[in-house]
Amino acid sequence: MTEESGVDGRRRDPIEIVDYDSDWPTAFERQRTRVEAALGPWLAGPVEHIGSTSVPGLAAKPIIDMLARVPDYRGGDFGSAMSGIGWSHAPEPGDEAARKWSFCFPDIGWRTHHLHIVEADAENWRSLLRFRDHLRENPADAAEYGRLKRLLAAADAQDRPRYRAAKAPFIEGLLHGLDPR
């Protein structure tokens, strides 16, 4: 099974960009409370709503991305905690730690939520929040990002690595112009 597949080896959620859904914040909150309760002993801050579904008005894949920070990966039984509330392990491409601590709900094939657990001292999570906050405060940039995502999804709804790679220059360019917080 690859990072792009479901239990039977097939990923069922193609890259589909939809108009913003005003229910996404509520869907995040429902799972946030469950995730915070399950990971509570290890959390180093609140669980955050990240990604395009966290930006009002932004077109997105209808998957709620979530971020949980922990002091470090050692000592936490994240897999058992997450499976205990019905979440599935969902390895992501990238470094081994990122692959190990990624989970989806209700399952990897038809996910509605995707949780990324990161170490609190890692730099990458700050960029995720800066990008989200910038798009929330700058509707023109959010609209341009939504347009780009629609074009990429229309070109190939199955090639996730290509989709991620093609979005990267926009994200990196925008982040490069922001003050680090």
Side-chain angles (χ1 to χ4, degrees):
M1 178 170 25
T2 70
E3 77 276 351
E4 304 298 335
S5 64
V7 173
D8 64 0
R10 292 183 350 179
R11 178 115 184 219
R12 293 172 187 80
D13 57 342
I15 303 166
E16 177 188 10
I17 306 300
V18 300
D19 290 339
Y20 180 78
D21 185 333
S22 61
D23 290 335
W24 286 339
T26 303
F28 162 73
E29 278 300 319
R30 276 194 303 270
Q31 291 301 318
R32 182 195 60 78
T33 58
R34 297 179 69 232
V35 169
E36 285 183 349
L39 297 179
W42 305 294
L43 288 176
V47 172
E48 297 274 359
H49 189 182
I50 60 170
S52 296
T53 62
S54 70
V55 179
L58 179 57
K61 294 188 312 284
I63 300 169
I64 309 297
D65 282 308
M66 302 170 69
L67 174 73
R69 292 173 288 135
V70 297
D72 62 55
Y73 292 127
R74 295 178 307 238
D77 191 2
F78 311 126
S80 292
M82 295 307 295
S83 66
I85 61 168
W87 285 63
S88 301
H89 180 239
E92 282 290 296
D95 67 62
E96 189 57 33
R99 291 180 57 77
K100 190 173 184 180
W101 305 120
S102 181
F103 299 88
C104 289
F105 180 83
D107 65 57
I108 194 167
W110 285 107
R111 64 189 73 191
T112 60
H113 293 70
H114 192 145
L115 175 70
H116 309 270
I117 300 175
V118 300
E119 289 184 320
D121 64 355
E123 284 299 315
N124 64 336
W125 68 266
R126 289 176 181 86
S127 294
L128 296 170
L129 297 182
R130 284 192 359 251
F131 185 67
R132 175 202 66 192
D133 294 347
H134 177 82
L135 292 181
R136 285 177 172 175
E137 297 165 6
N138 295 274
D141 287 343
E144 180 60 21
Y145 186 50
R147 186 190 69 74
L148 172 64
K149 293 188 315 164
R150 285 185 191 275
L151 287 171
L152 295 172
D156 186 338
Q158 300 300 322
D159 190 345
R160 287 178 185 279
R162 182 191 145 283
Y163 174 80
R164 282 190 292 269
K167 291 188 314 177
F170 179 90
I171 296 167
E172 291 165 7
L174 193 145
L175 285 171
H176 182 71
L178 299 179
D179 290 328
R181 290 184 213 165

